Amino acid sequence: MENWKAWVDGASRGNPGASGIGVLLLNGEGDTVKEVAEPLGITTNNVAEYSAMIRALEEARLAGCTHLEVFTDSQLVANQLNGTYAVRMPHLIPLYKRASTLLKAFEFARVKYIPREQNRRADALSNLGADQVEK
C-alpha cells in the first residue's frame, strides 16, 4: 500500500489575528486529491496549525486513505503529536486529542516536521484562507 502525503499549515496574522488553514493532499500516485484554503476567523497560530492538521486527517479518511504521512512546519504540533512535547496549553488539549484520535484511525500514519521552505504550497493556501477573514 502506497503512502498518501499531506502538507499542512496554519497562518495567523497577529497571533491572535486573522487566521487560515492550508492543506495539500496527494494520493499514492502523487495526484492531488484535495487542496484546502479556508479562513478560521481570529485565532492563534497554534490553533490554526492544529486545525490544518485535523482537516487534513479528516479529508484523507473521507477519501479512503489508510496510510498517510503528514508534513508540517510546526515543531510544536509535530512534537506534541509524536509524544516528544507535552500539551500544556489548555485550549490546545481538545485539538490535540482530536488529531491523535484521527491519527489512530489509519493503519499507518506519521507526522513529520519539515522546514518552512519545504511547505510552500500549504503555506500559500493557509495565507489565502487568512486573506478571507473579514476585518
Side-chain angles (χ1 to χ4, degrees):
M1 177 66 53
E2 291 188 29
N3 285 349
W4 288 34
K5 295 183 182 346
W7 285 263
V8 302
D9 198 22
S12 179
R13 299 187 182 132
N15 203 28
S19 299
I21 62 169
V23 173
L24 173 63
L25 178 63
L26 305 181
N27 65 19
E29 289 77 43
D31 300 320
T32 299
V33 174
K34 187 83 172 185
E35 279 192 343
V36 176
E38 290 184 354
L40 286 180
I42 306 300
T43 192
T44 66
N45 185 63
N46 290 333
V47 168
E49 296 283 2
Y50 262 111
S51 297
M53 176 68 65
I54 290 166
R55 181 62 182 276
L57 297 170
E58 290 171 343
E59 292 293 343
R61 291 295 295 157
L62 284 172
C65 172
T66 58
H67 294 71
L68 180 67
E69 286 185 286
V70 185
F71 302 96
T72 177
D73 60 21
S74 170
Q75 284 185 305
L76 179 82
V77 170
N79 284 322
Q80 286 179 340
L81 289 173
N82 287 324
T84 307
Y85 292 176
V87 183
R88 291 196 169 92
M89 299 301 293
H91 70 285
L92 294 181
I93 292 171
L95 298 169
Y96 165 80
K97 286 181 178 178
R98 177 71 178 140
S100 294
T101 298
L102 287 165
L103 283 165
K104 290 174 188 166
F106 292 88
E107 289 178 32
F108 169 83
R110 175 172 49 193
V111 176
K112 288 187 72 178
Y113 167 75
I114 58 172
R116 174 169 281 178
E117 309 82 64
Q118 295 176 18
N119 206 24
R120 288 190 180 133
R121 183 63 186 150
D123 179 68
L125 291 166
S126 68
N127 278 292
L128 285 172
D131 289 343
Q132 298 172 45
V133 175
E134 293 187 26
K135 306 207 171 31

